[in-house]
């Protein structure tokens, strides 16, 4: 048994209200920056539900205001959808939307004029369907242009689904117009199932459209979560002030690099270093000056290292470097180069800053903790030897 018009209108009201409520739930629960433009989609579903309800009521009480309001609700649907999408993707609203809303206003004015002129139902439906088809064509054109500018997979899939719905509306609207055209001006009613079929298609398109919108929201939320997770990981692994590795990350990564060096039978050295007199700079000139000095030191440190070496801040002005595939003589040369670079640093009051460093080459089977203790002992020895030098078990590098 085919669906009658009253049944399809009832289902349409229920579906649009449910879809609007579902979108509204996600719109209200998600962050505003993630749902910009979504409110227009909610309003569109509510308007379509209200329009279907008014058209259903007009079948019982066929008064002009009910029919006009119901048709107006359907005519503003696509401009409202495009408005939401433009806000969602951060695109310019005007002048593109002016054409869309202008067409909706012109189409509604033409439909009202045809009613006042006494055109029959078939003729008025041809006018309405023609305007709706033109709107769908413009909307499909906008979706195509947006699709070319969109890179992320969820949004592309969502735009394709929405675009498929728009194309289906175009086909069904043209079909209805062609079926109604022979009855225009005759005073005879066209077959009632035409509008019922179109309403069923509209219901299916609405469900697909809302699913696509929720897919876009899911993609955006997931992308933001991934960005937040990456930022948290970066903050955990990178020292915020100097942008070298944090202590926890340096120790974990160094243990892995030492295992790789042993497995590959490659040498590795650990260098611990700090700036001589840094505490006096911090106390006398203030922490901002001390922080600036640490940042400049970290820049010099990165410049002195090779690709594959790992630098980290262990705390205060103490830094550590794991020199991968580096023998002790090579590490001494790198440490000397760093000491010379640091010698050019000056505090705000002009005082010079020097570097003391301790080196230790990893012994077979030695873990990071043991290597760190030996490098720390070498650093203390460098301090005891008068500072401004690099000391290791094999000797001292000083100016």
């Amino acid at each position: 048994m085919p669906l009658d018009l009253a049944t399809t209108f009832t289902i349409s009201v229920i579906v649009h209200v449910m879809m609007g409520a579902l979108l509204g739930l996600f719109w209200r629960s998600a962050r505003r920056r993630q749902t910009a433009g979504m409110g227009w989609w909610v309003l569109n579903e509510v308007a379509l539900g209200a329009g279907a309800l008014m058209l259903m009521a007009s079948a019982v009480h066929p008064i002009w205001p009910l029919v006009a309001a119901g048709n107006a609700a359907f005519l503003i649907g696509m401009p409202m959808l495009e408005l939401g999408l433009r806000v969602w993707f951060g695109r310019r609203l005007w002048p593109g939307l002016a054409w869309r809303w202008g067409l909706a206003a012109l189409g509604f004015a033409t439909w009202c004029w045809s009613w006042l002129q006494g055109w029959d139902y078939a003729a008025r439906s041809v006018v309405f369907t023609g305007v709706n088809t033109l709107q769908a064509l413009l909307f499909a054109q906008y979706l195509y242009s947006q699709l070319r500018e969109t890179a992320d997979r969820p949004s592309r899939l969502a735009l394709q689904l929405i675009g498929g719905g728009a194309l289906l509306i175009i086909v069904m609207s043209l079909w209805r117009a062609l079926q109604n055209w022979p009855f225009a001006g005759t005073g005879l009613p066209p077959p009632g199932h035409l509008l019922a079929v179109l309403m069923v298609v509209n219901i299916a398109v609405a469900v697909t459209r809302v699913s696509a919108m929720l897919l876009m929201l899911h993609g955006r939320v997931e992308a933001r979560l991934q960005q937040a997770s990456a930022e948290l990981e970066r903050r955990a692994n990178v020292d915020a002030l100097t942008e070298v590795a944090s202590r926890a990350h340096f120790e974990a990564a160094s243990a892995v690099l030492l295992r790789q060096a042993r497995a590959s039978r490659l040498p590795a050295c650990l260098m611990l270093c700090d700036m001589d007199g840094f505490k006096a700079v911090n106390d006398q000139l203030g922490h901002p000056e001390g922080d600036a000095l640490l940042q400049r030191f970290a820049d010099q440190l990165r410049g002195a290292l090779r690709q594959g070496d790992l630098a980290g801040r262990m705390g205060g002005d103490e830094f550590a470097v794991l020199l991968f595939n580096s023998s002790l003589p090579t590490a001494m040369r790198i440490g000397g180069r760093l000491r010379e670079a640091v010698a050019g640093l000056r505090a705000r009051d002009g005082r010079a800053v020097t570097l003391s460093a301790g080196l230790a080459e990893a012994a077979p089977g030695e873990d990071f903790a043991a290597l760190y203790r030996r490098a720390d002992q070498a650093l203390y020895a460098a301090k005891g030897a008068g500072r401004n030098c690099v000391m290791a078990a094999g000797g001292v590098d000083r100016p």
Side-chain angles (χ1 to χ4, degrees):
M1 179 179 177
L3 286 175
D4 59 274
L5 196 55
T7 303
T8 56
F9 272 126
T10 303
I11 296 174
S12 179
V13 172
I14 294 172
V15 169
H16 284 301
V17 170
M18 288 178 60
M19 296 297 100
L22 182 62
L23 283 176
L25 178 64
F26 283 95
W27 177 49
R28 296 296 296 175
S29 61
R31 293 185 177 181
R32 287 288 178 231
R33 288 186 301 173
Q34 295 175 333
T35 59
M38 201 169 179
W40 292 108
W41 302 338
V42 175
L43 185 59
N44 173 65
E45 298 303 324
V46 172
L48 290 176
L53 182 62
M54 285 183 282
L55 291 178
M56 183 172 62
S58 68
V60 180
H61 299 285
I63 57 176
W64 187 84
L66 277 177
V67 181
N71 282 314
F74 279 91
L75 283 173
I76 65 174
M78 289 189 188
M80 212 169 332
L81 284 176
E82 185 172 334
L83 173 57
L85 285 171
R86 284 176 180 265
V87 174
W88 178 271
F89 288 109
R91 304 301 185 213
R92 290 179 55 188
L93 301 183
W94 314 108
L97 275 177
W99 292 98
R100 310 313 195 248
W101 286 104
L103 176 61
L106 180 62
F108 182 67
T110 303
W111 181 88
C112 291
W113 177 82
S114 67
W115 180 290
L116 295 175
Q117 291 297 310
W119 290 16
D120 57 17
Y121 171 79
R124 295 198 309 271
S125 71
V126 170
V127 171
F128 180 88
T129 305
V131 175
N132 195 49
T133 302
L134 186 55
Q135 281 187 321
L137 285 168
L138 291 174
F139 183 55
Q141 182 271 330
Y142 163 74
L143 291 173
Y144 176 72
S145 65
Q146 182 60 56
L147 187 62
R148 290 188 301 173
E149 300 175 8
T150 303
D152 65 286
R153 184 177 178 83
S155 294
R156 289 185 61 85
L157 178 57
L159 289 171
Q160 290 167 354
L161 289 172
I162 297 173
L167 293 177
L168 184 58
I169 291 295
I170 292 172
V171 172
M172 294 306 298
S173 296
L174 289 174
W175 171 77
R176 185 190 176 210
L178 291 174
Q179 294 295 317
N180 283 345
W181 179 260
F183 297 90
T186 64
L188 299 174
H193 72 278
L194 299 179
L195 183 56
V197 171
L198 186 60
M199 291 303 297
V200 170
V201 171
N202 278 327
I203 292 168
V205 170
V207 173
T208 304
R209 178 176 64 241
V210 171
S211 300
M213 292 167 177
L214 292 178
L215 177 62
M216 284 196 296
L217 177 61
H218 172 74
R220 177 168 290 185
V221 170
E222 185 177 25
R224 294 286 170 85
L225 286 175
Q226 290 176 349
Q227 291 173 1
S229 177
E231 178 62 19
L232 288 174
E233 184 177 358
R234 190 193 71 81
R235 291 184 181 183
N237 294 340
V238 178
D239 179 68
L241 178 65
T242 60
E243 296 187 353
V244 298
S246 65
R247 177 167 189 154
H249 179 62
F250 179 84
E251 291 179 349
S254 294
V256 174
L257 290 174
L258 286 174
R259 288 197 295 268
Q260 291 178 350
R262 282 197 300 270
S264 304
R265 299 181 181 277
L266 295 174
C269 290
L270 179 65
M271 178 172 65
L272 297 182
C273 55
D274 62 27
M275 289 181 285
D276 303 320
F278 175 78
K279 186 177 186 302
V281 172
N282 224 20
D283 293 342
Q284 296 170 17
L285 302 181
H287 289 287
E289 178 64 21
D291 289 347
L293 198 57
L294 287 173
Q295 289 172 332
R296 295 201 297 274
F297 172 75
D299 291 339
Q300 296 292 342
L301 178 61
R302 282 190 291 267
L305 300 183
R306 310 160 305 167
Q307 185 176 1
D309 295 335
L310 176 66
R313 184 185 178 194
M314 308 308 285
D317 65 323
E318 183 180 334
F319 291 77
V321 180
L322 187 76
L323 300 161
F324 189 79
N325 191 19
S326 173
S327 62
L328 195 57
T330 301
M332 289 288 287
R333 287 194 297 272
I334 294 172
R337 187 165 67 241
L338 176 61
R339 183 189 56 75
E340 293 172 0
V342 171
L345 294 179
R346 294 289 185 273
R348 188 179 67 231
D349 61 353
R351 74 179 72 181
V353 177
T354 59
L355 176 79
S356 295
L359 277 166
E361 184 173 359
E366 186 175 32
D367 62 11
F368 175 79
L371 180 63
Y372 184 90
R373 284 193 296 269
R374 292 201 296 118
D376 194 42
Q377 291 170 0
L379 173 60
Y380 273 100
K383 293 285 189 181
R387 305 176 186 274
N388 191 25
C389 63
V390 180
M391 179 168 283
V396 177
D397 175 67
R398 64 168 67 250

